[in-house]
PDB file of all heavy atoms in Angstrom:
ATOM      1  N   ALA A1038     182.954 112.755 -26.915  1.00 97.00           N
ATOM      2  CA  ALA A1038     183.266 111.349 -27.188  1.00 97.00           C
ATOM      3  C   ALA A1038     183.379 111.096 -28.687  1.00 97.00           C
ATOM      4  O   ALA A1038     184.287 110.374 -29.144  1.00 97.00           O
ATOM      5  CB  ALA A1038     182.187 110.452 -26.580  1.00 97.00           C
ATOM      6  N   LEU A1039     182.480 111.681 -29.460  1.00 97.00           N
ATOM      7  CA  LEU A1039     182.525 111.482 -30.913  1.00 97.00           C
ATOM      8  C   LEU A1039     183.781 112.106 -31.515  1.00 97.00           C
ATOM      9  O   LEU A1039     184.364 111.550 -32.462  1.00 97.00           O
ATOM     10  CB  LEU A1039     181.274 112.076 -31.562  1.00 97.00           C
ATOM     11  CG  LEU A1039     179.943 111.399 -31.182  1.00 97.00           C
ATOM     12  CD1 LEU A1039     178.782 112.110 -31.869  1.00 97.00           C
ATOM     13  CD2 LEU A1039     179.954 109.920 -31.528  1.00 97.00           C
ATOM     14  N   VAL A1040     184.213 113.235 -30.971  1.00 97.00           N
ATOM     15  CA  VAL A1040     185.451 113.865 -31.446  1.00 97.00           C
ATOM     16  C   VAL A1040     186.638 112.960 -31.143  1.00 97.00           C
ATOM     17  O   VAL A1040     187.487 112.703 -32.011  1.00 97.00           O
ATOM     18  CB  VAL A1040     185.648 115.253 -30.786  1.00 97.00           C
ATOM     19  CG1 VAL A1040     187.067 115.767 -31.027  1.00 97.00           C
ATOM     20  CG2 VAL A1040     184.639 116.247 -31.331  1.00 97.00           C
ATOM     21  N   ARG A1041     186.721 112.457 -29.930  1.00 96.00           N
ATOM     22  CA  ARG A1041     187.870 111.641 -29.532  1.00 96.00           C
ATOM     23  C   ARG A1041     187.905 110.302 -30.275  1.00 96.00           C
ATOM     24  O   ARG A1041     188.977 109.723 -30.458  1.00 96.00           O
ATOM     25  CB  ARG A1041     187.855 111.423 -28.024  1.00 96.00           C
ATOM     26  CG  ARG A1041     188.122 112.715 -27.251  1.00 96.00           C
ATOM     27  CD  ARG A1041     188.247 112.487 -25.768  1.00 96.00           C
ATOM     28  NE  ARG A1041     188.466 113.744 -25.057  1.00 96.00           N
ATOM     29  CZ  ARG A1041     188.527 113.870 -23.739  1.00 96.00           C
ATOM     30  NH1 ARG A1041     188.415 112.784 -22.977  1.00 96.00           N
ATOM     31  NH2 ARG A1041     188.709 115.044 -23.183  1.00 96.00           N
ATOM     32  N   LEU A1042     186.728 109.846 -30.713  1.00 95.00           N
ATOM     33  CA  LEU A1042     186.675 108.617 -31.506  1.00 95.00           C
ATOM     34  C   LEU A1042     186.876 108.895 -32.996  1.00 95.00           C
ATOM     35  O   LEU A1042     186.925 107.965 -33.802  1.00 95.00           O
ATOM     36  CB  LEU A1042     185.333 107.908 -31.285  1.00 95.00           C
ATOM     37  CG  LEU A1042     185.148 107.267 -29.903  1.00 95.00           C
ATOM     38  CD1 LEU A1042     183.696 106.868 -29.692  1.00 95.00           C
ATOM     39  CD2 LEU A1042     186.074 106.061 -29.742  1.00 95.00           C
ATOM     40  N   GLY A1043     186.982 110.156 -33.343  1.00 95.00           N
ATOM     41  CA  GLY A1043     187.268 110.549 -34.723  1.00 95.00           C
ATOM     42  C   GLY A1043     186.100 110.405 -35.681  1.00 95.00           C
ATOM     43  O   GLY A1043     186.307 110.263 -36.895  1.00 95.00           O
ATOM     44  N   VAL A1044     184.852 110.486 -35.167  1.00 96.00           N
ATOM     45  CA  VAL A1044     183.704 110.251 -36.044  1.00 96.00           C
ATOM     46  C   VAL A1044     182.733 111.429 -36.102  1.00 96.00           C
ATOM     47  O   VAL A1044     181.736 111.372 -36.818  1.00 96.00           O
ATOM     48  CB  VAL A1044     182.931 108.988 -35.614  1.00 96.00           C
ATOM     49  CG1 VAL A1044     183.835 107.753 -35.696  1.00 96.00           C
ATOM     50  CG2 VAL A1044     182.348 109.130 -34.213  1.00 96.00           C
ATOM     51  N   LEU A1045     182.988 112.506 -35.378  1.00 96.00           N
ATOM     52  CA  LEU A1045     182.005 113.585 -35.320  1.00 96.00           C
ATOM     53  C   LEU A1045     181.712 114.194 -36.678  1.00 96.00           C
ATOM     54  O   LEU A1045     180.556 114.443 -37.022  1.00 96.00           O
ATOM     55  CB  LEU A1045     182.449 114.682 -34.349  1.00 96.00           C
ATOM     56  CG  LEU A1045     181.456 115.857 -34.225  1.00 96.00           C
ATOM     57  CD1 LEU A1045     180.116 115.375 -33.683  1.00 96.00           C
ATOM     58  CD2 LEU A1045     182.011 116.965 -33.337  1.00 96.00           C
ATOM     59  N   SER A1046     182.749 114.433 -37.493  1.00 95.00           N
ATOM     60  CA  SER A1046     182.520 115.086 -38.787  1.00 95.00           C
ATOM     61  C   SER A1046     181.611 114.251 -39.671  1.00 95.00           C
ATOM     62  O   SER A1046     180.761 114.787 -40.397  1.00 95.00           O
ATOM     63  CB  SER A1046     183.854 115.355 -39.487  1.00 95.00           C
ATOM     64  OG  SER A1046     184.564 114.136 -39.680  1.00 95.00           O
ATOM     65  N   ALA A1047     181.733 112.928 -39.608  1.00 95.00           N
ATOM     66  CA  ALA A1047     180.884 112.059 -40.420  1.00 95.00           C
ATOM     67  C   ALA A1047     179.466 111.984 -39.863  1.00 95.00           C
ATOM     68  O   ALA A1047     178.484 111.877 -40.614  1.00 95.00           O
ATOM     69  CB  ALA A1047     181.488 110.659 -40.490  1.00 95.00           C
ATOM     70  N   VAL A1048     179.354 112.057 -38.553  1.00 96.00           N
ATOM     71  CA  VAL A1048     178.051 111.880 -37.900  1.00 96.00           C
ATOM     72  C   VAL A1048     177.257 113.179 -37.815  1.00 96.00           C
ATOM     73  O   VAL A1048     176.026 113.172 -37.824  1.00 96.00           O
ATOM     74  CB  VAL A1048     178.267 111.289 -36.485  1.00 96.00           C
ATOM     75  CG1 VAL A1048     176.972 111.254 -35.692  1.00 96.00           C
ATOM     76  CG2 VAL A1048     178.878 109.899 -36.573  1.00 96.00           C
ATOM     77  N   GLN A1049     177.951 114.306 -37.770  1.00 96.00           N
ATOM     78  CA  GLN A1049     177.327 115.618 -37.537  1.00 96.00           C
ATOM     79  C   GLN A1049     176.081 115.884 -38.389  1.00 96.00           C
ATOM     80  O   GLN A1049     175.054 116.346 -37.869  1.00 96.00           O
ATOM     81  CB  GLN A1049     178.353 116.734 -37.757  1.00 96.00           C
ATOM     82  CG  GLN A1049     177.839 118.137 -37.444  1.00 96.00           C
ATOM     83  CD  GLN A1049     177.667 118.366 -35.955  1.00 96.00           C
ATOM     84  OE1 GLN A1049     178.602 118.188 -35.178  1.00 96.00           O
ATOM     85  NE2 GLN A1049     176.471 118.765 -35.537  1.00 96.00           N
ATOM     86  N   PRO A1050     176.090 115.608 -39.701  1.00 97.00           N
ATOM     87  CA  PRO A1050     174.901 115.911 -40.506  1.00 97.00           C
ATOM     88  C   PRO A1050     173.665 115.103 -40.120  1.00 97.00           C
ATOM     89  O   PRO A1050     172.545 115.449 -40.513  1.00 97.00           O
ATOM     90  CB  PRO A1050     175.348 115.555 -41.932  1.00 97.00           C
ATOM     91  CG  PRO A1050     176.841 115.588 -41.901  1.00 97.00           C
ATOM     92  CD  PRO A1050     177.207 115.129 -40.534  1.00 97.00           C
ATOM     93  N   HIS A1051     173.848 114.046 -39.357  1.00 97.00           N
ATOM     94  CA  HIS A1051     172.736 113.159 -39.008  1.00 97.00           C
ATOM     95  C   HIS A1051     172.213 113.387 -37.590  1.00 97.00           C
ATOM     96  O   HIS A1051     171.260 112.721 -37.178  1.00 97.00           O
ATOM     97  CB  HIS A1051     173.181 111.699 -39.161  1.00 97.00           C
ATOM     98  CG  HIS A1051     173.724 111.380 -40.516  1.00 97.00           C
ATOM     99  ND1 HIS A1051     172.931 111.078 -41.597  1.00 97.00           N
ATOM    100  CD2 HIS A1051     175.009 111.368 -40.970  1.00 97.00           C
ATOM    101  CE1 HIS A1051     173.681 110.870 -42.659  1.00 97.00           C
ATOM    102  NE2 HIS A1051     174.952 111.030 -42.308  1.00 97.00           N
ATOM    103  N   ILE A1052     172.823 114.322 -36.858  1.00 97.00           N
ATOM    104  CA  ILE A1052     172.431 114.556 -35.475  1.00 97.00           C
ATOM    105  C   ILE A1052     171.122 115.335 -35.394  1.00 97.00           C
ATOM    106  O   ILE A1052     170.941 116.357 -36.068  1.00 97.00           O
ATOM    107  CB  ILE A1052     173.535 115.309 -34.708  1.00 97.00           C
ATOM    108  CG1 ILE A1052     174.769 114.408 -34.545  1.00 97.00           C
ATOM    109  CG2 ILE A1052     173.040 115.764 -33.341  1.00 97.00           C
ATOM    110  CD1 ILE A1052     175.959 115.108 -33.914  1.00 97.00           C
ATOM    111  N   VAL A1053     170.207 114.845 -34.583  1.00 97.00           N
ATOM    112  CA  VAL A1053     168.967 115.551 -34.251  1.00 97.00           C
ATOM    113  C   VAL A1053     169.078 115.959 -32.783  1.00 97.00           C
ATOM    114  O   VAL A1053     169.176 115.099 -31.907  1.00 97.00           O
ATOM    115  CB  VAL A1053     167.731 114.649 -34.456  1.00 97.00           C
ATOM    116  CG1 VAL A1053     166.468 115.376 -34.028  1.00 97.00           C
ATOM    117  CG2 VAL A1053     167.630 114.212 -35.904  1.00 97.00           C
ATOM    118  N   SER A1054     169.087 117.261 -32.525  1.00 96.00           N
ATOM    119  CA  SER A1054     169.285 117.749 -31.160  1.00 96.00           C
ATOM    120  C   SER A1054     167.968 117.846 -30.402  1.00 96.00           C
ATOM    121  O   SER A1054     166.928 118.202 -30.968  1.00 96.00           O
ATOM    122  CB  SER A1054     169.963 119.126 -31.164  1.00 96.00           C
ATOM    123  OG  SER A1054     171.302 119.020 -31.585  1.00 96.00           O
ATOM    124  N   ALA A1055     168.028 117.528 -29.117  1.00 97.00           N
ATOM    125  CA  ALA A1055     166.883 117.657 -28.222  1.00 97.00           C
ATOM    126  C   ALA A1055     167.293 118.540 -27.049  1.00 97.00           C
ATOM    127  O   ALA A1055     168.476 118.713 -26.764  1.00 97.00           O
ATOM    128  CB  ALA A1055     166.443 116.284 -27.732  1.00 97.00           C
ATOM    129  N   GLU A1056     166.294 119.089 -26.354  1.00 95.00           N
ATOM    130  CA  GLU A1056     166.619 120.090 -25.333  1.00 95.00           C
ATOM    131  C   GLU A1056     167.319 119.514 -24.109  1.00 95.00           C
ATOM    132  O   GLU A1056     168.033 120.220 -23.408  1.00 95.00           O
ATOM    133  CB  GLU A1056     165.367 120.851 -24.902  1.00 95.00           C
ATOM    134  CG  GLU A1056     164.315 120.016 -24.215  1.00 95.00           C
ATOM    135  CD  GLU A1056     163.141 120.855 -23.733  1.00 95.00           C
ATOM    136  OE1 GLU A1056     163.314 122.070 -23.579  1.00 95.00           O
ATOM    137  OE2 GLU A1056     162.057 120.298 -23.521  1.00 95.00           O
ATOM    138  N   ASN A1057     167.113 118.233 -23.821  1.00 96.00           N
ATOM    139  CA  ASN A1057     167.807 117.605 -22.701  1.00 96.00           C
ATOM    140  C   ASN A1057     167.881 116.101 -22.939  1.00 96.00           C
ATOM    141  O   ASN A1057     167.398 115.597 -23.959  1.00 96.00           O
ATOM    142  CB  ASN A1057     167.144 117.937 -21.360  1.00 96.00           C
ATOM    143  CG  ASN A1057     165.693 117.504 -21.302  1.00 96.00           C
ATOM    144  OD1 ASN A1057     165.369 116.350 -21.570  1.00 96.00           O
ATOM    145  ND2 ASN A1057     164.806 118.423 -20.961  1.00 96.00           N
ATOM    146  N   VAL A1058     168.480 115.388 -22.010  1.00 97.00           N
ATOM    147  CA  VAL A1058     168.724 113.962 -22.221  1.00 97.00           C
ATOM    148  C   VAL A1058     167.426 113.149 -22.233  1.00 97.00           C
ATOM    149  O   VAL A1058     167.320 112.147 -22.949  1.00 97.00           O
ATOM    150  CB  VAL A1058     169.716 113.435 -21.158  1.00 97.00           C
ATOM    151  CG1 VAL A1058     169.071 113.343 -19.783  1.00 97.00           C
ATOM    152  CG2 VAL A1058     170.322 112.103 -21.558  1.00 97.00           C
ATOM    153  N   ARG A1059     166.417 113.564 -21.475  1.00 97.00           N
ATOM    154  CA  ARG A1059     165.156 112.831 -21.483  1.00 97.00           C
ATOM    155  C   ARG A1059     164.382 113.061 -22.779  1.00 97.00           C
ATOM    156  O   ARG A1059     163.681 112.162 -23.264  1.00 97.00           O
ATOM    157  CB  ARG A1059     164.316 113.206 -20.264  1.00 97.00           C
ATOM    158  CG  ARG A1059     164.832 112.549 -18.977  1.00 97.00           C
ATOM    159  CD  ARG A1059     164.997 111.037 -19.191  1.00 97.00           C
ATOM    160  NE  ARG A1059     165.628 110.367 -18.079  1.00 97.00           N
ATOM    161  CZ  ARG A1059     164.980 109.784 -17.090  1.00 97.00           C
ATOM    162  NH1 ARG A1059     163.659 109.793 -17.067  1.00 97.00           N
ATOM    163  NH2 ARG A1059     165.633 109.175 -16.146  1.00 97.00           N
ATOM    164  N   ALA A1060     164.502 114.238 -23.350  1.00 97.00           N
ATOM    165  CA  ALA A1060     163.895 114.475 -24.658  1.00 97.00           C
ATOM    166  C   ALA A1060     164.614 113.646 -25.724  1.00 97.00           C
ATOM    167  O   ALA A1060     163.985 113.149 -26.668  1.00 97.00           O
ATOM    168  CB  ALA A1060     163.957 115.965 -25.003  1.00 97.00           C
ATOM    169  N   THR A1061     165.913 113.471 -25.571  1.00 98.00           N
ATOM    170  CA  THR A1061     166.685 112.599 -26.464  1.00 98.00           C
ATOM    171  C   THR A1061     166.177 111.165 -26.373  1.00 98.00           C
ATOM    172  O   THR A1061     165.941 110.498 -27.390  1.00 98.00           O
ATOM    173  CB  THR A1061     168.178 112.638 -26.095  1.00 98.00           C
ATOM    174  OG1 THR A1061     168.654 113.978 -26.159  1.00 98.00           O
ATOM    175  CG2 THR A1061     169.005 111.755 -27.016  1.00 98.00           C
ATOM    176  N   LEU A1062     166.016 110.698 -25.171  1.00 98.00           N
ATOM    177  CA  LEU A1062     165.513 109.341 -24.942  1.00 98.00           C
ATOM    178  C   LEU A1062     164.148 109.152 -25.599  1.00 98.00           C
ATOM    179  O   LEU A1062     163.879 108.117 -26.226  1.00 98.00           O
ATOM    180  CB  LEU A1062     165.421 109.075 -23.440  1.00 98.00           C
ATOM    181  CG  LEU A1062     164.986 107.679 -23.003  1.00 98.00           C
ATOM    182  CD1 LEU A1062     166.063 106.660 -23.335  1.00 98.00           C
ATOM    183  CD2 LEU A1062     164.688 107.669 -21.499  1.00 98.00           C
ATOM    184  N   ALA A1063     163.289 110.146 -25.485  1.00 98.00           N
ATOM    185  CA  ALA A1063     161.933 110.057 -26.047  1.00 98.00           C
ATOM    186  C   ALA A1063     161.962 109.912 -27.563  1.00 98.00           C
ATOM    187  O   ALA A1063     161.104 109.227 -28.136  1.00 98.00           O
ATOM    188  CB  ALA A1063     161.129 111.292 -25.649  1.00 98.00           C
ATOM    189  N   LEU A1064     162.928 110.527 -28.238  1.00 98.00           N
ATOM    190  CA  LEU A1064     163.026 110.408 -29.698  1.00 98.00           C
ATOM    191  C   LEU A1064     163.286 108.964 -30.113  1.00 98.00           C
ATOM    192  O   LEU A1064     162.750 108.487 -31.121  1.00 98.00           O
ATOM    193  CB  LEU A1064     164.131 111.325 -30.229  1.00 98.00           C
ATOM    194  CG  LEU A1064     163.866 112.835 -30.132  1.00 98.00           C
ATOM    195  CD1 LEU A1064     165.095 113.608 -30.605  1.00 98.00           C
ATOM    196  CD2 LEU A1064     162.644 113.230 -30.945  1.00 98.00           C
ATOM    197  N   VAL A1065     164.100 108.272 -29.329  1.00 98.00           N
ATOM    198  CA  VAL A1065     164.368 106.859 -29.628  1.00 98.00           C
ATOM    199  C   VAL A1065     163.176 105.996 -29.230  1.00 98.00           C
ATOM    200  O   VAL A1065     162.791 105.074 -29.957  1.00 98.00           O
ATOM    201  CB  VAL A1065     165.651 106.388 -28.925  1.00 98.00           C
ATOM    202  CG1 VAL A1065     165.955 104.924 -29.259  1.00 98.00           C
ATOM    203  CG2 VAL A1065     166.843 107.270 -29.322  1.00 98.00           C
ATOM    204  N   GLU A1066     162.567 106.296 -28.098  1.00 98.00           N
ATOM    205  CA  GLU A1066     161.397 105.537 -27.655  1.00 98.00           C
ATOM    206  C   GLU A1066     160.271 105.581 -28.685  1.00 98.00           C
ATOM    207  O   GLU A1066     159.582 104.574 -28.911  1.00 98.00           O
ATOM    208  CB  GLU A1066     160.886 106.089 -26.323  1.00 98.00           C
ATOM    209  CG  GLU A1066     161.773 105.813 -25.129  1.00 98.00           C
ATOM    210  CD  GLU A1066     161.241 106.461 -23.876  1.00 98.00           C
ATOM    211  OE1 GLU A1066     160.663 107.573 -23.965  1.00 98.00           O
ATOM    212  OE2 GLU A1066     161.408 105.879 -22.792  1.00 98.00           O
ATOM    213  N   ARG A1067     160.099 106.745 -29.316  1.00 97.00           N
ATOM    214  CA  ARG A1067     158.997 106.922 -30.285  1.00 97.00           C
ATOM    215  C   ARG A1067     159.379 106.481 -31.693  1.00 97.00           C
ATOM    216  O   ARG A1067     158.559 106.550 -32.604  1.00 97.00           O
ATOM    217  CB  ARG A1067     158.544 108.383 -30.296  1.00 97.00           C
ATOM    218  CG  ARG A1067     157.938 108.853 -28.981  1.00 97.00           C
ATOM    219  CD  ARG A1067     157.122 110.106 -29.166  1.00 97.00           C
ATOM    220  NE  ARG A1067     157.905 111.213 -29.672  1.00 97.00           N
ATOM    221  CZ  ARG A1067     158.432 112.171 -28.924  1.00 97.00           C
ATOM    222  NH1 ARG A1067     158.249 112.153 -27.604  1.00 97.00           N
ATOM    223  NH2 ARG A1067     159.122 113.160 -29.451  1.00 97.00           N
ATOM    224  N   GLY A1068     160.630 106.066 -31.883  1.00 95.00           N
ATOM    225  CA  GLY A1068     161.065 105.627 -33.197  1.00 95.00           C
ATOM    226  C   GLY A1068     161.419 106.740 -34.152  1.00 95.00           C
ATOM    227  O   GLY A1068     161.633 106.506 -35.342  1.00 95.00           O
ATOM    228  N   VAL A1069     161.509 107.960 -33.640  1.00 96.00           N
ATOM    229  CA  VAL A1069     161.895 109.094 -34.486  1.00 96.00           C
ATOM    230  C   VAL A1069     163.354 108.957 -34.910  1.00 96.00           C
ATOM    231  O   VAL A1069     163.727 109.321 -36.030  1.00 96.00           O
ATOM    232  CB  VAL A1069     161.676 110.429 -33.733  1.00 96.00           C
ATOM    233  CG1 VAL A1069     162.180 111.609 -34.567  1.00 96.00           C
ATOM    234  CG2 VAL A1069     160.203 110.604 -33.392  1.00 96.00           C
TER     235      VAL A1069
END
């Protein structure tokens, strides 16, 4: 989706990867 919206290159340095979608959710829940 980020590629098709033309924003991945700008966003890539800020991405924090998690092992699955629930771990991703937890990062936002905890304010990380």
Side-chain angles (χ1 to χ4, degrees):
L1039 295 179
V1040 167
R1041 292 186 181 175
L1042 289 168
V1044 299
L1045 180 62
S1046 59
V1048 172
Q1049 184 72 55
H1051 305 278
I1052 292 175
V1053 177
S1054 290
E1056 64 176 339
N1057 59 53
V1058 72
R1059 284 308 173 94
T1061 303
L1062 183 69
L1064 291 176
V1065 181
E1066 289 177 325
R1067 296 198 299 263
V1069 176

